[in-house]
Amino acid sequence: MFSFFRKKTPAAAPPAPASPEPAPSGPATQAANAAPPDAAVPAAVPVATPLGEPPAATREQAPGARQGWLDRLRAGLRKTGSGIATVFTGTRIDEDLYEELEAALLMADTGVKATEHLLKDLRRRVKEARATDPAAVKGLLAEAIADLLAPLQKSLVIGEHRPTVIMVTGVNGAGKTTSIGKLTRHLAHEGASVLLAAADTFRAAAREQLAVWADRNTVEIITQQGGDPAAVSFDAVTAGKARGRDVVLVDTAGRLPTQLHLMEELRKIKRVVQKADAGAPHEVLLVIDGNTGQNALAQVKAFDDALTLTGLVITKLDGTAKGGVICAIAMERPVPVYFIGVGEKLEDLETFDAREFAQALLN
């Protein structure tokens, strides 16, 4: 269960409509397993945890599950944690320790600006705490990292708009479509009615991959054979409105920020979605591969400039990822991190908690 969900108090069920709402016309088609357009909408709509409320509520409900997730996160960041931990094995707090720590942080992809900030903050904390033990300095560093990352900790809001239109993008191989599938599963599990838009018409088999997730989660999918991505997105948002769906997830084609004509296509999709529903897309998420280091920061800057991102999903922190790039993002382009992932399994994608991540980063 994702910790960004809670249920509204269920109201009395409204009377059934006299006739089903008509589906929009157009070339859009549904997957064979899709629910009928006039399927009943759940009375209780999932809503995100309010901003600033930590994910502790879910951890109290399922401490074993959350602990298992933290163990996997620590294992994924073990390489980074081990590299930084060796700095604190000595017996003295001196300039040599700070120099070694600076090198370790830079090796962890923290970036120059974030490293300078953390070292300055750490020196202040050591002085105020009058710390004399290097092991205590490690704990103070964890607090400094947690404070730096705290502005990135934010809940994804579902329920303020109906449908909530979420546009998802990212470079090829970042895990974008898989992350959409995992998010769909959790949304559907929490009672939200989801409609998928297969607007990734650029990559071979992307439509089929998304259709598999739709089949697994028993949700509807709007797709076109060789259709224009913007047209698919428009049809999906229109259908989501007509059928009273809670969420419309738009899967866009993966591309590099240097592919200017494809980046312009993303802008077109956003403009067309806005025409289909004023105010949409309500969320623009970028999926980034945690193994790409400082290149991840470059991706965030490029996509944010083009689309104005509202959130990030950071995947594959179980590989060779160093993890420190999140500190660089917090320092230079603080886009909220909604989710982080450490593997391919459903339970390997979870909400981002700044303090948990800081502790796992230092192992």
Side-chain angles (χ1 to χ4, degrees):
M1 179 185 296
F2 273 3
S3 56
F4 64 94
F5 285 121
R6 63 176 171 81
K7 294 279 189 178
K8 280 184 177 177
T9 302
S19 59
E21 294 177 325
S25 59
T29 60
Q30 300 178 22
N33 69 305
D38 56 345
V41 179
V45 180
V47 180
T49 305
L51 297 186
E53 183 174 331
T58 292
R59 291 198 297 272
E60 291 172 359
Q61 296 170 4
R66 189 73 184 187
Q67 186 59 48
W69 152 255
L70 292 176
D71 290 341
R72 292 193 297 276
L73 180 60
R74 291 191 186 96
L77 297 174
R78 181 174 292 120
K79 182 177 180 180
T80 299
S82 299
I84 298 177
T86 56
V87 175
F88 303 103
T89 56
T91 58
R92 297 177 59 185
I93 301 175
D94 51 20
E95 286 303 314
D96 289 340
L97 182 146
Y98 287 112
E99 289 181 5
E100 291 178 15
L101 180 57
E102 179 181 18
L105 289 173
L106 290 173
M107 288 294 293
D109 287 329
T110 304
V112 175
K113 291 183 179 179
T115 296
E116 290 177 349
H117 169 83
L118 288 173
L119 288 175
K120 182 178 180 181
D121 190 22
L122 180 61
R123 287 177 184 272
R124 177 186 62 80
R125 291 172 186 266
V126 169
K127 182 178 180 180
E128 291 178 353
R130 297 181 180 180
T132 58
D133 183 7
V137 178
K138 181 180 178 182
L140 294 175
L141 176 61
E143 293 177 5
I145 293 175
D147 287 347
L148 175 62
L149 299 182
L152 303 187
Q153 183 178 319
K154 182 180 177 182
S155 298
L156 174 62
V157 176
I158 301 296
E160 286 187 355
H161 308 278
R162 194 172 194 191
T164 297
V165 181
I166 302 175
M167 180 177 169
V168 187
T169 188
V171 304
N172 290 319
K176 173 177 55 64
T177 303
T178 300
S179 296
I180 290 174
K182 293 177 181 179
L183 181 56
T184 300
R185 175 64 180 272
H186 286 284
L187 285 165
H189 178 73
E190 292 297 326
S193 53
V194 182
L195 180 65
L196 299 179
D200 184 354
T201 60
F202 183 74
R203 180 171 64 89
R207 183 166 53 92
E208 290 76 8
Q209 182 183 359
L210 194 65
V212 169
W213 282 107
D215 182 64
R216 289 177 181 175
N217 299 314
T218 320
V219 300
E220 294 175 285
I221 180 172
I222 300 297
T223 181
Q224 295 178 11
Q225 181 67 40
D228 177 73
V232 176
S233 304
F234 183 89
D235 284 343
V237 175
T238 304
K241 291 174 63 178
R243 301 170 192 180
R245 299 299 174 246
D246 298 319
V247 181
V248 175
L249 275 169
V250 181
D251 181 17
T252 64
R255 67 225 35 223
L256 296 174
T258 54
Q259 297 171 309
L260 300 182
H261 64 296
L262 295 180
M263 292 295 285
E264 180 55 37
E265 184 182 84
L266 284 179
R267 296 186 185 95
K268 178 183 176 182
I269 292 175
K270 185 177 181 180
R271 291 194 301 268
V272 169
V273 167
Q274 289 171 340
K275 291 181 180 179
D277 185 359
H282 306 104
E283 296 284 350
V284 181
L285 307 186
L286 174 66
V287 179
I288 56 178
D289 184 342
N291 295 307
T292 55
Q294 286 294 299
N295 189 38
L297 176 60
Q299 292 174 25
V300 172
K301 291 180 177 179
F303 281 92
D304 191 32
D305 290 341
L307 299 171
T308 310
L309 299 174
T310 62
L312 303 176
V313 180
I314 302 179
T315 65
K316 304 182 183 181
L317 289 173
D318 57 326
T320 59
K322 299 177 182 178
V325 70
I326 299 184
C327 296
I329 292 172
M331 195 69 194
E332 300 187 44
R333 194 60 67 97
V335 178
V337 178
Y338 286 145
F339 311 109
I340 55 177
V342 294
E344 294 297 324
K345 296 180 181 179
L346 181 64
E347 62 271 19
D348 290 337
L349 186 72
E350 251 294 0
T351 46
F352 173 72
D353 181 284
R355 192 160 300 279
E356 288 178 351
F357 187 86
Q359 293 173 349
L361 187 65
L362 298 183
N363 207 23

